[in-house]
């Protein structure tokens, strides 16, 4: 195990540089290659330089595609096309008014492009790409309204061409593989239910039959769940987590996991149930399998009829369960499974798929959707606001430089600064390394391609495989994407500057990219930074408080003093808190210097202990007989102690109240040991 000093300093071995070979997308690659290469070929053949602007727009539009249903993608892509065209024309004209006018308006535009991230993942992508359009327009300038209008029209034309490829000619569904993988988990669960139904009907099933059921079908279901989890996470890494499709996939996987756990418990109970219970279980299982299949099909098709059929079947299952005594384990376990089916069914309701709706599926007024995030983030404590200001201030110098020194490639300096800067230092540090190294290697590739492709048409032809390669690896690794994108950009520039050599273009790009990366990292470290190590202790306390609420809700449910909905909400809050803590620890470990390494080690101990507490609480929920065996007083005593102890730790104290006397459930004893561990770690966080 590495020492704390090793953990506290950033090194390449621990940078969150992800290479995911499974994310290669040949369909997206071919589509992007066509969108760029066709326009460049027309530009060379027809001798229309303005079409290079269309090629740039097509390239950026492909990058802008957020994925998901077409009804969500079209507004995003259309907005980018129209706003991008307006930015191209307006900022090009502003450039002709001189730096005194263009510079402050350009800095303000970059601030807005960064700050728009407060509205979600899709606006974040649009804003990032619009910042590139702004910088290129301010660097080039448009001498007349006619020229500005021509370039704006070309931008719209290129974007529309890419949209047509996306929506009509060559459709790409980025979330479809993940949806299919999630649907497969529900189909596997339906097979498990089918086999369980066969065993229940047989009545004379042997121990070997039950063992075979567990061995074959549980393994298949588990493999499907693991495969779906991997596919969903790979998709979220490439497309961003802030999307409805991504959130649905995560919830559906979690729901499938809980249904699977319930079915395991159900199969154990069904081996020794009474004949009346067996008959009810047979009816329930007969209805349950079609529900799982309907839900699986709806995850692929978004069929609105799925909601009605699934709802009627779940209602029938609940009616069957009412024939069982209230406190029987069979009813408790099957009710938990039915609740999870209801959650999966709710996600299939079309209203819940639509953006801009509340929990009931009602449309939220546009004014509220605009004003609420803005009001919440116009606060100096907002990381988004500080990041937008940091980006604007840092980009002001390079932008002024490009307006004074008229070099055809100096815009790469400003683009690198803006594109590299991230809200957190560790992310900026990683992005800078990937961008600089990828650009350097890509420049060498561009020079090699230039030695072979010497005519304009051959250069245009070379852009097709280069664009294919860039977009095929776009979601595999950012460094590989930059390595593949650089030759494409270098050759695109050469089509507009045929007198320049590839080595010259590549050299300028590499130099400006390196300088821009250094500026971005320095600014992110010096200007209003969110010091990650300083945020660890408050985040730890929030995570402990969340788990105190989870523990209190978990034991209260066993005592019949709260609802399953309240427990689900508490568990979700606790899970999110530990995820946030782990993400913060990861960023804090990448902060330069060796300060507060003891606190980071303590935070890692807290994180591990909270994960174990959550596991013990989940185990406790599978023993509902506790409250029915005279253990209510013991549960209430331990609940109060666990809650009080964890809330004391969350407030910064370390003197735990005396532990309850007498015997306790094993899970409660184990939780108490983890709380003792938490108390020791919290002493090091002060």
């Amino acid at each position: 195990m590495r020492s704390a000093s090793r953990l506290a300093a950033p090194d390449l071995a621990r940078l969150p540089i992800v290479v995911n070979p499974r994310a290669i997308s040949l369909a997206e690659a071919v589509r992007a290659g066509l969108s760029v290469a066709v326009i460049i070929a027309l530009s060379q053949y027809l001798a229309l330089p303005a079409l290079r602007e269309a090629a740039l727009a097509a390239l950026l539009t492909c990058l802008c595609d957020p994925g998901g249903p077409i009804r969500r993608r079209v507004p995003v892509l259309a907005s980018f096309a129209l706003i991008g065209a307006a930015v191209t024309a307006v900022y090009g004209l502003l450039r002709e008014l001189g730096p005194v006018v263009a510079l402050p308006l350009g800095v303000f535009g970059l601030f807005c492009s960064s700050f728009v991230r407060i509205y979600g993942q899709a606006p974040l992508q649009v804003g990032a790409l619009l910042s590139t359009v702004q910088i290129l327009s301010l660097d080039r300038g448009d001498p007349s309204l006619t020229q500005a209008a021509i370039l704006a029209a070309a931008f719209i034309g290129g974007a529309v061409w890419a949209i047509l490829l996306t929506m009509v000619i060559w459709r790409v569904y980025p979330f479809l593989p993940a949806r299919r993988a999630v649907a497969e988990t529900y189909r596997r669960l339906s097979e498990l239910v089918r086999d369980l139904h066969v065993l229940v009907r047989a009545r004379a099933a042997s121990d070997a039959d039950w063992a075979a059921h567990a061995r074959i079908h549980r393994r298949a279901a588990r493999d499907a769940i693991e495969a779906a989890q991997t596919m969903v996470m790979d998709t979220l890494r490439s497309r961003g987590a802030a999307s409805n499709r991504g959130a649905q996939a995560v919830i559906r996987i979690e729901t499938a996991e809980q249904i699977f756990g319930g079915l395991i418990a159900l199969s154990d109970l069904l081996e020794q149930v009474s004949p009346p219970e067996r008959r009810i279980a047979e009816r329930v299982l007969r209805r349950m399998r079609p529900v799982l299949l309907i839900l699986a099909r709806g995850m692929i098709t978004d069929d609105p009829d799925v909601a009605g059929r699934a709802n009627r079947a779940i209602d029938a299952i609940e009616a069957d369960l009412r024939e069982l005594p209230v406190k029987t384990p069979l009813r408790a376990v099957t009710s938990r499974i039915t609740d999870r089916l209801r959650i999966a069914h709710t996600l299939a309701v079309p209203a819940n798929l639509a953006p801009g709706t509340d929990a009931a599926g009602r449309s939220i007024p546009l004014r509220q959707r605009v004003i609420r995030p803005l009001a919440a983030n116009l606060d100096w404590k907002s990381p988004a606001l500080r990041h937008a200001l940091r980006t604007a201030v840092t980009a002001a110098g390079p932008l002024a430089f490009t307006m004074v020194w008229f070099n055809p490639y100096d815009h790469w300096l400003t683009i690198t600064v803006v594109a590299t800067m991230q809200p957190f230092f560790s992310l900026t540090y990683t992005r800078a390394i990937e961008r600089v190294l990828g650009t350097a290697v890509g420049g060498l590739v561009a020079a090699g391609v230039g030695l072979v492709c010497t005519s304009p048409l051959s250069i245009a032809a070379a852009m097709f495989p280069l664009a294919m390669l860039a977009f095929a690896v776009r979601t595999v690794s950012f460094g590989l994407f930059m390595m593949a994108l650089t030759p494409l950009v270098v050759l695109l520039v050469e089509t507009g500057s045929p007198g320049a050599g590839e080595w010259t273009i590549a050299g300028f790009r590499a130099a400006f990219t390196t300088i821009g990366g250094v500026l971005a990292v320095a600014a992110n470290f010096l200007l209003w930074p969110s010091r990650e190590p300083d945020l660890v202790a408050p985040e730890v306390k929030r995570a402990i408080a969340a788990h105190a609420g989870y523990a209190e809700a978990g034991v209260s449910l066993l005592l019949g003093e709260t609802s399953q909905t309240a427990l689900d909400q508490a568990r979700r809050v606790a899970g999110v808190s530990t995820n946030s803590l782990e993400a913060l620890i990861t960023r804090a470990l990448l902060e330069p210097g060796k300060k507060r390494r003891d606190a980071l080690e303590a935070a890692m101990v807290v994180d591990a202990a909270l994960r174990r507490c959550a596991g013990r609480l989940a185990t406790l929920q599978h023993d509902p007989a506790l409250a029915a065996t005279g253990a209510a007083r013991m549960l209430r005593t331990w609940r109060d102690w666990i809650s009080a102890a964890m809330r004391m730790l969350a407030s910064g104290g370390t003197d735990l109240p005396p532990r309850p006397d007498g015997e306790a459930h094993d899970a409660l004893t184990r939780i108490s040991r983890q709380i003792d561990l938490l108390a020791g770690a919290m002493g090091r966080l002060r």
Side-chain angles (χ1 to χ4, degrees):
M1 182 176 178
R2 287 180 295 182
S3 65
S5 60
R6 291 282 296 165
L7 287 171
D11 63 77
L12 287 175
R14 294 187 301 100
L15 288 175
I17 296 176
V18 178
V19 178
N20 177 24
R22 291 186 299 274
I24 293 176
S25 175
L26 293 179
E28 189 173 1
V30 174
R31 188 192 71 184
L34 285 173
S35 67
V36 176
V38 169
I39 297 178
I40 289 296
L42 287 174
S43 173
Q44 296 299 323
Y45 181 76
L46 300 175
L48 293 176
L51 286 181
R52 289 190 299 109
E53 187 72 20
L56 174 66
L59 178 67
L60 296 179
T61 302
C62 290
L63 289 171
C64 186
D65 187 0
I70 289 180
R71 64 181 179 274
R72 292 188 208 161
R73 295 160 73 182
V74 169
V76 173
L77 297 177
S79 298
F80 176 74
L82 295 176
I83 298 174
V87 167
T88 298
V90 172
Y91 276 88
L93 292 171
L94 287 175
R95 176 67 183 86
E96 295 301 313
L97 299 178
V100 175
V101 176
L103 182 60
L105 291 177
V107 171
F108 177 72
L110 293 178
F111 168 82
C112 294
S113 296
S114 177
F115 193 52
V116 77
R117 70 176 54 235
I118 65 176
Y119 294 107
Q121 180 69 21
L124 184 154
Q125 288 179 254
V126 171
L129 295 171
L130 285 177
S131 66
T132 300
V133 177
Q134 292 175 45
I135 293 167
L136 291 174
S137 300
L138 287 169
D139 182 63
R140 178 191 58 231
D142 298 328
S144 66
L145 282 172
T146 301
Q147 181 67 17
I150 291 173
L151 291 178
F155 191 98
I156 291 178
V160 169
W161 164 240
I163 293 173
L164 286 175
L165 279 175
T166 300
M167 304 300 172
V168 181
I169 302 174
W170 196 304
R171 294 189 180 186
V172 177
Y173 301 92
F175 281 93
L176 185 57
R179 291 161 58 194
R180 285 174 173 165
V182 176
E184 180 62 22
T185 65
Y186 283 79
R187 281 192 286 268
R188 289 292 184 179
L189 290 174
S190 75
E191 289 300 309
L192 190 153
V193 170
R194 181 193 61 79
D195 193 65
L196 192 57
H197 181 237
V198 170
L199 289 175
V200 171
R201 290 185 62 189
R203 291 180 172 81
S206 64
D207 291 341
D209 294 330
W210 286 100
H213 163 81
R215 182 177 63 255
I216 297 172
H217 291 283
R218 290 183 190 177
R219 181 175 60 191
R222 169 51 60 193
D223 289 344
I225 291 173
E226 293 297 327
Q229 286 175 333
T230 301
M231 178 63 71
V232 169
M233 293 309 299
D234 289 345
T235 304
L236 291 179
R237 289 189 187 100
S238 63
R239 292 287 168 179
S243 70
N244 288 338
R245 282 288 192 200
Q248 287 173 345
V250 170
I251 295 173
R252 282 167 170 163
I253 283 292
E254 176 62 24
T255 303
E257 178 79 52
Q258 294 179 14
I259 291 173
F260 180 52
L263 290 173
I264 292 174
L266 182 61
S267 64
D268 292 338
L269 290 173
L270 290 176
E271 290 189 54
Q272 299 177 351
V273 294
S274 64
E277 290 178 327
R278 183 181 293 272
R279 286 192 294 271
I280 295 173
E282 182 181 339
R283 294 204 307 271
V284 167
L285 292 170
R286 187 177 69 247
R287 301 182 194 278
M288 191 178 294
R289 180 171 182 256
V291 172
L292 290 165
L293 289 174
I294 290 171
L295 292 174
R297 185 162 58 252
M299 292 172 193
I300 302 298
T301 64
D302 284 338
D303 183 2
D305 293 336
V306 166
R309 296 199 301 272
N311 193 47
R312 289 191 294 271
I314 294 172
D315 289 342
I317 292 174
E318 291 178 340
D320 289 334
L321 292 179
R322 285 194 285 271
E323 298 181 21
L324 291 170
V326 175
K327 296 185 179 181
T328 59
L330 182 62
R331 178 167 178 171
V333 171
T334 312
S335 293
R336 283 200 294 270
I337 297 173
T338 308
D339 288 339
R340 301 313 179 268
L341 290 173
R342 186 76 72 182
I343 292 172
H345 153 260
T346 302
L347 290 175
V349 178
N352 290 337
L353 294 175
T357 58
D358 59 18
R362 296 169 299 193
S363 178
I364 300 175
L366 177 62
R367 186 174 183 275
Q368 292 185 20
R369 299 204 303 268
V370 173
I371 297 299
R372 284 180 179 177
L374 187 62
N377 285 276
L378 287 178
D379 187 319
W380 189 247
K381 295 180 181 179
S382 167
L385 177 63
R386 294 201 305 272
H387 172 66
L389 287 172
R390 183 165 51 236
T391 300
V393 170
T394 308
L399 195 59
F401 171 76
T402 63
M403 293 181 179
V404 175
W405 188 46
F406 296 99
N407 182 284
Y409 319 114
D410 52 10
H411 53 257
W412 280 328
L413 174 61
T414 314
I415 290 174
T416 300
V417 169
V418 174
T420 302
M421 293 192 70
Q422 303 295 314
F424 302 103
F425 172 81
S426 59
L427 300 180
T428 302
Y429 182 74
T430 304
R431 182 61 59 89
I433 291 176
E434 291 186 285
R435 182 175 286 273
V436 170
L437 294 180
T439 298
V441 177
L444 295 176
V445 174
V449 173
L451 295 176
V452 178
C453 303
T454 56
S455 67
L457 286 178
S458 64
I459 291 175
M463 287 187 178
F464 180 73
L466 288 173
M468 278 190 59
L469 177 62
F471 277 81
V473 302
R474 179 165 73 107
T475 56
V476 174
S477 163
F478 180 75
L480 290 176
F481 175 58
M482 290 306 304
M483 184 179 69
L485 185 65
T486 295
L488 179 64
V489 174
V490 169
L491 294 179
L492 182 63
V493 170
E494 189 182 357
T495 60
S497 305
E502 291 80 7
W503 287 106
T504 301
I505 300 173
F508 272 113
R509 178 172 169 82
F512 283 130
T513 299
T514 302
I515 296 171
V518 171
L519 285 175
V521 172
N524 204 278
F525 183 70
L526 297 173
L527 296 179
W528 319 300
S530 299
R531 299 294 185 192
E532 308 304 311
D534 296 336
L535 302 176
V536 168
E539 193 68 31
V540 164
K541 293 176 181 178
R542 282 192 288 270
I544 294 176
H547 281 74
Y550 178 27
E552 189 171 7
V555 180
S556 295
L557 182 64
L558 293 174
L559 292 168
E561 298 176 1
T562 191
S563 65
Q564 182 68 45
T565 302
L567 174 61
D568 291 341
Q569 179 64 24
R571 181 175 58 244
R572 190 175 300 111
V573 171
V576 170
S577 71
T578 47
N579 287 350
S580 299
L581 176 59
E582 288 169 359
L584 179 60
I585 292 172
T586 300
R587 297 194 300 266
L589 289 172
L590 291 171
E591 287 274 6
K594 301 181 179 180
K595 297 180 179 180
R596 299 191 64 105
R597 60 177 178 266
D598 192 53
L600 291 178
E601 286 185 337
M604 287 186 279
V605 171
V606 170
D607 177 62
L610 290 177
R611 288 291 188 189
R612 291 189 178 95
C613 286
R616 303 307 173 197
L617 289 169
T619 300
L620 206 62
Q621 295 307 308
H622 289 284
D623 192 0
L626 270 173
T629 57
R633 182 176 181 182
M634 179 269 294
L635 285 173
R636 191 170 286 108
T637 301
W638 276 90
R639 177 197 62 187
D640 295 342
W641 181 83
I642 291 172
S643 176
M646 297 187 81
R647 293 188 191 284
M648 176 176 288
L649 294 174
S651 66
T654 56
D655 296 327
L656 299 178
R659 189 183 303 179
D661 296 327
E663 295 185 2
H665 191 277
D666 180 63
L668 296 172
T669 303
R670 290 174 180 266
I671 290 173
S672 69
R673 293 172 187 157
Q674 298 302 322
I675 290 176
D676 288 338
L677 189 62
L678 289 173
M682 288 299 293
R684 299 160 60 190
L685 275 171
R686 290 180 174 178

